[in-house]
Structures are given as structure tokens and as C-alpha cells.
Amino acid sequence: GLAKRNALIFGLAKLADYRDTDTGAHLERIGLYARILADALRPYHDGTIDARWIDRIVLASSLHDIGKVGIPDSILLKPGRLTPEERSVMEKHTRIGADRLLAIRPKLGSDECIDMGIEIALQHHEKWDGTGYPFGLAGEDISLPARIVALADFYDAVTSKRVYKDAMTHEQAAGLIRELHGTHFDPRVADAFFANEAEFNAIRAHNQ
């Protein structure tokens, strides 16, 4: 039952991901990055993060952008910068994703992975300093899984080639994360990245 359910969740997430990434391997990488970060954060979140929790975030992280199914191609695949109007449509993917997953919940019954997926879909663009979206949450008001996936997703996004941009090097991405330490990113999550930079770089290099 569980393995089938997990395969189904990941398969659906991947279907959504194929619209704006070349390979769909984006989700595998984000899961790997989330695992590394969650593992490194275990000592600080004793009683929250255990092996089951880590397995759960790996799967739940695949749902982070499921709301992009509701964003038109003209915006999702636009080469070049989005206008402010287009950007506000794009930002709706966080709420759309959470809404779609919430709609599944009554039919599914209680499911820890879907619940975590809802938090991640909704909050993975929130920033530690409160300047993110959709709610402008700050600090520990942002769910821990979302704070982890925010960095995993950011690293993967900037180091991946897209229709509208080239890929950054690992060094460039790490430089950005250093600048955004404690503003965009939870400082502890950023520290976990820097403690495991070599692993991130190896996964990136293997997948490019």
C-alpha cells in the first residue's frame, strides 16, 4: 500500500514538473538536497526530525510546485523577465498547490506526507526575514519543511538551465546563498548547506 501510494504521489508531482523543466530530474535532486539538509539539522530539532520525518520530506518536497499546473504556459515558459502582473500570477502557484492538495485530503483521510506537502507547497517561497510570499511569514513561523525545501529548491533552480536562463556554477550559487544567509534563508539551514557543500556539488554535477 505505502510504496504504491508513494509512487503515485511522486508520479503526479513529476507530471506537473515536466511542463517547465527539461527532464523531471529536478524533483529527484530536490529530494536528495532536502535529505542532506534535514539530516544535518537533526541535532537542532531533536524529537521532530527522525528517519521517518526525513523520508517524508524527501517525498513531500516533490509536491512543492504542483500548483504550477494552474499557471499558463505563456507565463511559466516565458523567456526573459516577467512583468509585475505576470509575476503576481506566477506567485499564485503556492496557493493553487496547497488548495489542490487540501482538496485531496478529505478523500484520502489523514496523511502525514500530504500534510507536509501542503505546508511546503504553500510556504517554500516565504523568506526568513518576512519578505517572501504568499503570507510574508518570518522566522520560525515558516514551517521547518518549507524552510529546508526553500534552500534545496533555490540551489537547484539557480544551478539548472531553463528556457529563460543559463545554469550558474556551484560557486556562484553558494555565493548567493552566503549573501542570503539569515535574510532569505533560515541561518541554520544555510549553515547545513555550507557544511555539506561538496555533496550538493556532486549531486548537481552528476545530474547536469
Side-chain angles (χ1 to χ4, degrees):
L2 198 63
K4 275 200 178 119
R5 159 191 156 286
N6 292 357
L8 188 64
I9 289 174
F10 192 69
L12 291 169
K14 226 164 160 170
L15 206 58
D17 189 51
Y18 273 117
R19 278 185 65 221
D20 72 327
T21 68
D22 300 332
T23 61
H26 170 63
L27 299 182
E28 273 97 348
R29 288 194 301 271
I30 283 187
L32 291 168
Y33 297 146
R35 182 181 290 283
I36 293 166
L37 294 171
D39 211 33
L41 290 162
R42 251 173 124 151
Y44 304 103
H45 297 277
D46 197 33
T48 303
I49 300 180
D50 57 16
R52 277 190 53 218
W53 195 95
I54 294 174
D55 286 343
R56 194 181 309 143
I57 195 174
V58 171
L59 183 60
S61 70
S62 70
L63 297 167
H64 71 286
D65 272 348
I66 200 96
K68 284 188 176 172
V69 293
I71 306 301
D73 280 350
S74 60
I75 292 175
L76 196 62
L77 302 177
K78 181 184 176 184
R81 293 188 72 82
L82 298 179
T83 66
E85 295 74 28
E86 288 168 336
R87 179 155 298 286
S88 80
V89 173
M90 180 67 118
E91 291 183 357
K92 290 196 176 117
H93 80 275
T94 53
R95 292 173 192 258
I96 294 168
D99 285 347
R100 293 296 172 272
L101 295 170
L102 274 164
I104 294 169
R105 214 164 51 172
K107 300 176 177 73
L108 199 63
S110 97
D111 186 294
E112 289 178 312
C113 184
I114 297 291
D115 290 350
M116 190 186 276
I118 291 166
E119 290 180 5
I120 291 171
L122 194 56
Q123 298 182 19
H124 70 283
H125 286 287
E126 296 288 0
K127 295 181 183 176
W128 185 254
D129 65 4
T131 62
Y133 67 87
F135 300 125
L137 300 175
E140 297 195 351
D141 287 344
I142 307 163
S143 100
L144 178 61
R147 279 152 35 207
I148 291 172
V149 173
L151 193 145
D153 181 42
F154 178 89
Y155 178 84
D156 194 67
V158 298
T159 58
S160 296
K161 191 170 162 40
R162 291 282 185 272
V163 283
Y164 49 85
K165 65 169 194 71
D166 288 329
M168 276 186 185
T169 64
H170 170 78
E171 290 66 33
Q172 288 170 316
L176 269 183
I177 291 169
R178 190 164 275 116
E179 282 170 35
L180 299 170
H181 179 290
T183 52
H184 184 153
F185 301 116
D186 175 341
R188 271 202 182 129
V189 174
D191 291 343
F193 166 80
F194 288 113
N196 295 277
E197 254 194 274
E199 276 185 87
F200 271 73
N201 193 21
I203 291 163
R204 177 203 60 80
H206 177 71
N207 277 281
Q208 296 297 287

